[in-house]
Every structure is written in C-alpha cells, then in structure tokens.
C-alpha cells in the first residue's frame, strides 16, 4: 500500500492521525502561559500599588467631612467635596438622559432597518467607529465652540452633559449594536412568522433579549464619562465652588476637576484631600460597574 495511507491501531482498528511536527509543543505552550501570567502579574502589582498609595494618603481624610463639607482653600482640615460629588451626579445623570436613548435608537436603526448596501449607511458606520477613537479634548473643543458659545449655554451643567454625551455616544451605539446582533435570527423569524410587525418583533423580542449587553455597555461608557477632566476643564468647569447645582443652568464642578485643583495646591493637606476624593470617585465607579455586572448576570440568556 501507499506510504500516505494512515496506519491503523492494532487494538481498535481506528486509523491513527499523523502528528504535526513543530506545532503546539509543550515547551512553547508553557512559555506562552508564563508570559501571560507575567504580564497579568505586572499589571495587577502596579494597580495594587497605586491603590494602596492612594488609600494610605487618603486615610487621614476618609471620613464624613469629605461628603458633607464644601471646599475650603484657607482651612483644608475642614474642607470637603460635597459640591464636586453633587456636580458629578448631576452631570452624569443628564449625560445618561441625553445619550442612552439616542444611542439605543441609533443602534436599532443601523442594525434592524438600515440597508448596508447604501452608501450613506456605510458612511455613518465608518464615522461612528472613527468617533469612538477621537481624544476627549477634541470633544471639549467642540463643546466649547458650538454648545457653550455657539448655542449660548455657557459654563453650565447642560453644556457639560451634552459634551460628555457626544463623547460616549459612539461607545453606546457600538455596544448596543453588538447586543442586538447577538440575538439569534430565528427569534426574529419566528415572531414575524406569527404575524408580528417588525417594530413589534424588535420591541417585544429583540430588545428584551439585548438588554443585558446594552446595559453593560452603556454603564461602562458612563464610567468613562464620569472620570473625564480634560473636556470639562476646557469648557470652563470651576475648581472652587461652595454650592451644589440647582438645575441644568447652574455652574458646576466635578470630582476630576476638584482633584486637579487640590493637586495643584502646594500644601501637603491638599494631597490627602485629593486622595480622599479619588477614593470617592473609585467607589462611584465600582458601584456603577457592579450594577453592570449584576444586570448582565441577572438578565443574560444563553441561546
């Protein structure tokens, strides 16, 4: 017989598959795994060191004063970040109100209604993907030139919310599209076969199944927005405010701007204040990410 014919195992009679030489050797696999573990260890060690440093610096000021007191340049021992915390909550809530409905509706159109063969739909998709990678400072320039000065909204919560909405909108659209695309086509076809319209199919079948993915992507996008300082500094966010916002037309400050203002001071007491504000910001971010994980685990479905 020809030498290319596979030999049979004498015990079972099953043809033996020839082994490929030089592929997937245990030594290479072991080296690759060690490289992955080493890279992970480096990242975790640096992150843990940074967090430990921040907590140690913030420990003298991790009390209720950081949440109940207003900033004070003269007496940092009694200063707090109440105006920055409330300003952050105001800005992020209105950012969610502006960007989440727009992003979800845009994702529904692009995924369910838009014809990918039309040139304008392809142009929209390319622009969305490109805008997701634009630096945040560019959005700050856009907000300053068009929203703040062009529309006359000034240095207000409304301007900050609209600017951050533009910043995270591409991320919300992309994550929502991926969540909608993950819903099997068989569900759509079954709904349409039973006489439902396309919108009824989307509203009652597709969107409920895509909620975990859309919620996770949206919360992570808002987590990015809550930590942005560059566009808000360019918009004229104030570093020293001793009052809470009362509406969308109020002046504002947020935690990243307040942290930047305290770090810029020369006295050592402000370093502890800035570190305490960083811990507060991290707690808010962890809470938002925990909600995203809970929503994903609570409403996720396996197809």
């Amino acid at each position: 017989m020809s030498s290319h014919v596979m030999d049979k195992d004498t015990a079972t009679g099953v043809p033996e598959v020839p082994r490929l030489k030089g592929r997937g050797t245990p030594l290479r696999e072991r080296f690759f795994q060690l490289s992955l573990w080493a890279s992970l260890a480096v990242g975790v060690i640096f992150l843990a060191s940074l967090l430990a440093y921040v907590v140690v610096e913030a420990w003298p000021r991790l009390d209720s004063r950081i949440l109940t007191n207003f900033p004070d340049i003269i007496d940092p021992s009694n200063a707090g970040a109440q105006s920055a915390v409330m300003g952050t909550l105001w800005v992020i809530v209105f950012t969610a109100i502006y960007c989440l409905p727009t992003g979800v509706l845009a994702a529904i159109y692009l995924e369910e209604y838009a014809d990918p063969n039309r040139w304008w739909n392809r142009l929209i998709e390319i622009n969305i993907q490109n805008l997701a990678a634009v630096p945040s400072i560019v959005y700050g320039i856009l907000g300053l030139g068009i929203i703040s000065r062009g529309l006359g909204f000034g240095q207000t919560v409304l301007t900050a919310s609209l600017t951050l909405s533009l910043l995270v909108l591409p991320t919300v659209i992309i994550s929502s599209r991926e969540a909608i695309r993950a819903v099997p086509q068989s569900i759509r076809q079954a709904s349409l076969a039973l006489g439902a319209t396309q919108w009824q199919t989307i509203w009652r079948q597709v969107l409920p199944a895509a909620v975990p993915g859309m919620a996770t992507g949206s919360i992570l996008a808002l987590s990015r927005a809550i930590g942005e300082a560059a566009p808000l500094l360019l918009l004229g966010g104030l570093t020293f405010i001793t009052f809470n916002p009362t509406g969308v037309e109020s002046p504002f400050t947020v935690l990243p701007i307040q942290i930047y203002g305290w770090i810029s001071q020369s006295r050592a007491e402000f370093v502890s204040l800035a570190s305490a504000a960083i811990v507060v910001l991290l707690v808010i971010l962890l809470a938002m990410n925990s909600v995203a994980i809970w929503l994903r685990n609570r409403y996720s479905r396996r197809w």
Side-chain angles (χ1 to χ4, degrees), residues 32-51:
F32 184 67
Q33 291 177 358
L34 290 176
S35 301
L36 293 178
W37 280 107
S39 301
L40 179 62
V42 170
V44 171
I45 289 173
F46 274 98
L47 179 61
S49 302
L50 179 61
L51 292 177

Side-chain angles (χ1 to χ4, degrees), residues 140-177:
I141 297 173
L142 176 66
L144 178 64
I146 297 178
I147 300 176
S148 178
R149 297 178 179 176
L151 299 178
F153 292 158
Q155 302 170 356
T156 60
V157 172
L158 179 60
T159 301
S161 301
L162 291 176
T163 303
L164 292 181
S165 298
L166 295 176
L167 174 64
V168 301
L169 184 59
T171 306
V172 174
I173 295 175
I174 293 173
S175 61
S176 299
R177 289 190 65 188

Side-chain angles (χ1 to χ4, degrees), residues 254-291:
V254 293
L255 280 171
I257 294 179
Q258 188 66 70
I259 293 169
Y260 172 79
W262 280 336
I263 288 294
S264 303
Q265 300 294 325
S266 59
R267 285 184 286 179
E269 293 87 350
F270 288 104
V271 176
S272 297
L273 272 174
S275 300
I278 292 173
V279 172
V280 174
L281 183 60
L282 288 175
V283 169
I284 296 175
L285 288 174
L286 290 176
M288 295 177 65
N289 292 335
S290 300
V291 171

